Amino acid sequence: MYNSLRNVVILFAGSIVLLGMLSFSAYQEVRESLEYARSVEYMHIIQHEAERLGATVKELENCHKGYVYKQEAEYLNLIFASKEQIIRLLTTLQQRVKDNDSQLARLEAFKRGFRRHIAILNSSIRYTRAENKVDELAVSKSQIQANQMLRDLSSFQNYQKQLLSVRGMQKDQTDNQMSRKMFLFALFTVLLLLVSFGLIFSELRKRITFQDELERKIEELKRSNSELEQFAYVASHDMQEPLRKIRAFSDMLLIRQRAVLNEDGKSTLQKIAKSSERLQNLINDLLAFSRLVNKNAQNVETVSLDTLLSEVLKDLSMLTIEKNAIIEYDHLPTISGVSFQLHQLFLNLISNALKFSKNGIAPHITIRYRLLLGSKIFNIQEVKPFLTYHEITISDNGIGFEQEYADKIFMIFQRLHAKSQFEGTGIGLAVCKRVVTNHNGYIKAESVPNHGATFTIYLPNNRNEE
Amino acid sequence: MKHLPILIADDDEDDRFLIKAAFEECGSDIPLFFVQDGLELMQYLNNENAYTDASVYKQPSLILLDLNMPKKDGREIIQEMRANSNFKAIPIVVLSTSNAPSDIKTCYELGANSFITKPSSFEGLLEIIKNLQQFWFVTASLPQ
C-alpha cells in the first residue's frame, strides 16, 4: 500500500522535474532565437554599410574623374565629402567587426588601399590644377586602385555572407536538437504522468474494493454481534426459568418430604441443589456479562477513580480485615467512563488479589498510577503512540500464575484452579477485560508463579480528544 | 373471621403449583383462586364466563400478578384495574421472574402495591408467602 504511494510520489516528482527542464529548454530556445535574430539583423546592417562604402568608393572615383576632365570646383567638395564618408564608414565597420580578426585584417587592407588611392588622387588633382590638363596615368592608376579597394571590400562582404549562412546552419542544427530534446522531454513527461495516473487509478480502485469489503464485513459483524448479544441474553434468561424450578422443586421435596426421606435421598437432593445453585450463578454471570457487552445500556459520566477505589475498598473491607491485607495506592485520576463498570473492574481485580493470596502470608496489594505516552507502552500493538494513557497497575504478592496463561485467564469461564480450591465462576477477569475494552483501553497480566501477579490497565486520556 | 380470597394470576402451571404448595406449607386458611392469563383475570373480576357465580368467585382481597402472560400481560392488567373504579382499591402484588429495574419502575408507576422477584428456592418462596400473609392480613388493613 505504502509502496505504491511512494511510486506515485516518485513518478510525480519525476514529471515535475521533467516539466521544469522542458520549460527551461523552451526559455533557452526563445532566447537563442532572439539572439540569432539580433545577430542576423546586425549582419545585415554591416552588409548594408559595406555596400554604402563600396558605393562611396565608386562615387569618389567618379568625382575624381569629373574634376580632372571638367575641372569644376564643385567636384572637390564632393571628393572631400566622399573621403569623410569613407573614413566614417570604415571606422564604424571596424568597430562592428572588432571581434573578428580576419575581417579586421580585410578592412585594414582596404584602409591601406584607400590611403594609396588618396595619395594617387591628390597627386592627380594637384597635377590637373597646376597644368590644367589630365594626368591620364594617374587617372588609370586611381581607377585600378579603386577597383582593388572594391575587391577587398567584396571579399569582406563575401566573408560576412558566409558567416551569416554558417550561423544559419548552426541555428538550424541547434533548433533541430532542441526540438528533438523538447519532444523527448514532453513525451517522457506524458508517459510518466500516464503511468502515475494508472497507478493512482488502480490504487483507488483497489481501495474502493477494500472499503466495500470492509463495510460489508462491518455490517456482517454488527449483525452477528447483535445476534450473539441477543442469543446470550435470551439463552441465559430462558435457562433461568427451568433452573429456578429445578431448584424450587428439589427444595420443596427436601422440605415437604423430610420425614420420609432417608439420608441418601437427602444428600442427593442437596447435591442437586448445590449444582443448580452453581448453574444459577453461571447464568447470572453470563447475563451480567451479556449486559456488559450490550453497549446501548451504558451512560458515560465523569468518574473519579479515587472515590471509586475508596468505595471498592469499603466493599472489600471485611475480606481485607479477615486476610490482614495491606493495600497501598496512589492518587488516581478522574476519567469519563461508566461508573458501575469501572467499579466492577476494580472490585474484581482487588478481590482476586485478595483471593489468590499465599497461605499464611498477608496479602500486600499495590496500586500505582502514572500518565504516559502511547509510544512508551510496549507489548500492546494496538496503542496509538501519540495519545496519552492512564496506566494503573495492581500488583500483589499472591500465588501468581504461569505467564503462558496470561491470555487465557481473560477468557470467559476460564479457571486455573479447581473449584474446590478457589470458588468463583471464572468470569471476573472476562468482565474486567470487557470493561476495559468498553472504555477503549487495554489490560494485560504478568506473573511469575509464587511471586505475585501484576495487572496493568491502560485507559486513554480523555483530554486527547479535546 | 373468613378472609376474602387471594387471586393468583400465573401462566406457568409449575409456579401455580409451587405457590399453592407454599401457602399450604404455611398453614394458610385464606381461599386461593388461580387464573392462567390476564383475560381470565378480568373475567373473574367482572364475574363473566366461568366466573358468573359471585358468591363463589368473590372479589379478591389481594392479587398476586405475574407480569409476562399470554393474551393480556400483567402491565395491562394493572393499568386496566387502576382505571376501573370497581377494582381501583384492590392491592396488587407483582410476583415476577424479572428483576429488571425498568420493569420494577413501570409496575409502581402503573399503580402496583409491591414488586417481588420470584425466588429460585422453595424456601425463599415460603418466606415470601409467610411475609405476604403477615403483612397484608395481619399488619395492614385491607379495604372491605
Side-chain angles (χ1 to χ4, degrees):
Chain A
M1 189 159 83
Y2 290 103
N3 258 353
S4 56
L5 199 69
R6 203 187 53 204
N7 288 345
V8 168
V9 168
I10 289 171
L11 282 171
F12 264 106
S15 317
I16 286 165
V17 167
L18 277 176
L19 278 174
M21 282 160 81
L22 199 65
S23 16
F24 182 70
S25 307
Y27 167 73
Q28 252 185 341
E29 172 71 8
V30 167
R31 227 180 49 175
E32 258 166 43
S33 290
L34 273 176
E35 218 164 274
Y36 175 72
R38 215 175 294 137
S39 80
V40 166
E41 198 186 340
Y42 197 66
M43 294 238 189
H44 280 302
I45 290 171
I46 291 172
Q47 213 64 286
H48 178 68
E49 281 167 349
E51 265 160 32
R52 266 175 69 199
L53 189 59
T56 317
V57 168
K58 281 178 193 154
E59 166 89 8
L60 180 66
E61 190 47 33
N62 284 341
C63 288
H64 171 223
K65 280 186 184 136
Y67 178 76
V68 293
Y69 287 117
K70 293 182 184 156
Q71 292 181 10
E72 284 170 12
E74 180 68 21
Y75 283 113
L76 285 177
N77 283 338
L78 285 173
I79 287 167
F80 183 74
S82 294
K83 275 201 296 200
E84 285 297 303
Q85 173 82 348
I86 286 168
I87 290 165
R88 218 172 341 160
L89 283 170
L90 191 61
T91 318
T92 315
L93 276 175
Q94 274 175 328
Q95 195 58 36
R96 292 212 195 277
V97 300
K98 65 173 186 286
D99 294 332
N100 191 327
D101 287 342
S102 68
Q103 286 293 72
L104 272 180
R106 283 186 189 92
L107 285 180
E108 202 52 44
F110 176 85
K111 202 175 174 181
R112 278 196 305 274
F114 175 61
R115 272 198 214 107
R116 276 198 295 279
H117 189 217
I118 293 295
I120 294 165
L121 206 105
N122 282 347
S123 81
S124 165
I125 289 170
R126 264 198 308 275
Y127 182 81
T128 304
R129 206 187 270 165
E131 305 284 331
N132 256 344
K133 38 181 195 189
V134 181
D135 182 353
E136 290 294 347
L137 185 69
V139 169
S140 70
K141 259 166 109 183
S142 166
Q143 184 61 50
I144 289 163
Q145 191 57 42
N147 287 346
Q148 178 59 42
M149 279 163 68
L150 286 174
R151 272 199 297 279
D152 283 343
L153 195 63
S154 90
S155 93
F156 174 85
Q157 281 175 307
N158 283 341
Y159 185 84
Q160 203 64 26
K161 260 185 214 149
Q162 267 175 27
L163 214 60
L164 189 65
S165 77
V166 167
R167 284 261 172 97
M169 267 153 64
Q170 274 175 348
K171 162 79 174 138
D172 281 352
Q173 215 173 345
T174 51
D175 271 3
N176 274 340
Q177 272 177 2
M178 197 54 109
S179 71
R180 213 174 307 135
K181 202 165 88 183
M182 276 165 66
F183 176 74
L184 276 177
F185 277 158
L187 193 73
F188 214 63
T189 311
V190 167
L191 233 97
L192 278 184
L193 283 174
L194 272 177
V195 170
S196 38
F197 173 76
L199 264 178
I200 289 173
F201 187 73
S202 79
E203 187 64 16
L204 206 66
R205 229 175 34 186
K206 228 190 292 173
R207 283 194 189 204
I208 287 171
T209 321
F210 277 152
Q211 200 179 342
D212 284 351
E213 203 174 325
L214 217 68
E215 273 168 15
R216 219 186 48 240
K217 285 238 167 88
I218 288 172
E219 214 39 58
E220 240 168 66
L221 221 78
K222 263 192 199 158
R223 201 170 345 105
S224 72
N225 227 21
S226 80
E227 273 170 6
L228 260 177
E229 279 168 29
Q230 269 177 27
F231 175 77
Y233 184 79
V234 170
S236 44
H237 210 263
D238 289 352
M239 278 191 277
Q240 290 239 31
E241 260 315 288
L243 178 64
R244 192 173 55 81
K245 282 178 197 154
I246 291 171
R247 292 191 69 191
F249 281 123
S250 65
D251 210 18
M252 191 180 86
L253 198 59
L254 195 62
I255 288 168
R256 297 209 344 180
Q257 311 293 325
R258 194 178 292 275
V260 290
L261 274 173
N262 59 15
E263 277 313 305
D264 186 43
K266 278 182 199 162
S267 86
T268 308
L269 277 173
Q270 264 155 9
K271 284 202 169 98
I272 291 173
K274 205 151 190 199
S275 284
S276 23
E277 195 187 330
R278 188 170 158 69
L279 183 55
Q280 180 90 55
N281 288 340
L282 285 170
I283 289 171
N284 282 345
D285 284 351
L286 200 62
L287 253 174
F289 189 77
S290 76
R291 275 196 207 111
L292 213 58
V293 174
N294 185 4
K295 278 196 162 182
N296 302 333
Q298 300 161 7
N299 52 333
V300 177
E301 54 197 333
T302 307
V303 183
S304 157
L305 291 182
D306 261 340
T307 318
L308 192 128
L309 180 64
S310 61
E311 280 166 14
V312 168
L313 292 179
K314 211 184 282 170
D315 288 353
L316 291 169
S317 57
M318 291 275 281
L319 193 61
T320 314
I321 292 164
E322 191 185 302
K323 291 231 172 193
N324 252 333
I326 300 166
I327 302 178
E328 280 181 70
Y329 49 92
D330 285 351
H331 170 70
L332 296 183
T334 296
I335 64 169
S336 67
V338 185
S339 182
F340 87 91
Q341 290 190 8
L342 292 165
H343 187 276
Q344 196 76 41
L345 170 69
F346 280 92
L347 184 76
N348 289 356
L349 287 176
I350 298 169
S351 67
N352 269 0
L354 290 169
K355 185 160 91 178
F356 297 105
S357 61
K358 279 189 266 192
N359 254 344
I361 295 174
H364 187 156
I365 302 167
T366 320
I367 301 167
R368 293 271 169 258
Y369 164 72
R370 63 181 172 144
L371 193 66
L372 82 174
L373 210 61
S375 56
K376 297 269 160 41
I377 299 171
F378 308 105
N379 306 331
I380 298 172
Q381 290 171 348
E382 296 91 340
V383 291
K384 319 264 179 311
F386 300 113
L387 295 189
T388 51
Y389 286 85
H390 300 290
E391 184 196 68
I392 299 166
T393 56
I394 297 176
S395 334
D396 61 53
N397 59 341
I399 57 170
F401 52 85
E402 296 279 358
Q403 188 60 33
E404 57 177 299
Y405 298 123
D407 291 325
K408 203 182 166 193
I409 55 173
F410 289 110
M411 289 175 189
I412 194 162
F413 296 143
Q414 287 291 338
R415 304 167 48 95
L416 296 182
H417 307 280
K419 273 168 252 161
S420 54
Q421 207 177 346
F422 293 101
E423 57 184 32
T425 55
I427 200 154
L429 287 176
V431 167
C432 289
K433 174 139 196 173
R434 189 68 223 188
V435 168
V436 172
T437 308
N438 281 355
H439 288 79
N440 303 318
Y442 311 96
I443 185 169
K444 63 173 184 181
E446 288 156 309
S447 177
V448 174
N450 269 320
H451 286 86
T454 299
F455 288 86
T456 311
I457 304 162
Y458 297 104
L459 295 173
N461 185 3
N462 302 114
R463 290 200 189 86
N464 287 331
E465 288 138 33
E466 279 162 21
Chain B
M1 103 179 201
K2 191 93 174 99
H3 289 293
L4 286 171
I6 297 177
L7 180 59
I8 296 148
D10 203 314
D11 61 316
D12 191 309
E13 198 190 337
D14 295 332
D15 278 336
R16 292 199 300 270
F17 176 76
L18 283 165
I19 292 168
K20 198 167 175 234
F23 269 103
E24 283 166 13
E25 199 64 30
C26 292
S28 157
D29 59 345
I30 307 166
L32 303 176
F33 284 103
F34 288 90
V35 289
Q36 300 189 18
D37 57 59
L39 217 56
E40 216 185 317
L41 186 135
M42 290 317 289
Q43 284 167 2
Y44 179 102
L45 289 180
N46 290 317
N47 291 120
E48 293 169 352
N49 289 19
Y51 304 101
T52 39
D53 190 347
S55 61
V56 179
Y57 304 111
K58 292 177 184 157
Q59 290 300 299
S61 54
L62 184 73
I63 290 176
L64 287 187
L65 185 68
D66 187 21
L67 275 189
N68 299 313
M69 290 185 294
K71 292 178 190 167
K72 201 173 262 188
D73 78 357
R75 297 167 197 82
E76 288 172 86
I77 294 296
I78 304 174
Q79 227 167 352
E80 220 167 292
M81 283 180 64
R82 289 302 177 243
N84 187 325
S85 57
N86 292 332
F87 317 127
K88 220 176 189 169
I90 303 172
I92 300 170
V93 173
V94 177
L95 188 58
S96 164
T97 46
S98 165
N99 62 353
S102 61
D103 278 343
I104 298 171
K105 189 163 178 266
T106 309
C107 288
Y108 280 112
E109 273 169 358
L110 292 175
N113 296 78
S114 71
F115 190 106
I116 298 169
T117 302
K118 280 181 190 167
S120 48
S121 69
F122 187 67
E123 227 174 335
L125 191 61
L126 278 182
E127 198 65 31
I128 283 165
I129 298 300
K130 261 185 221 159
N131 283 340
L132 271 179
Q133 262 182 280
Q134 179 67 31
F135 181 77
W136 288 106
F137 295 92
V138 180
T139 313
S141 306
L142 285 167
Q144 294 304 310

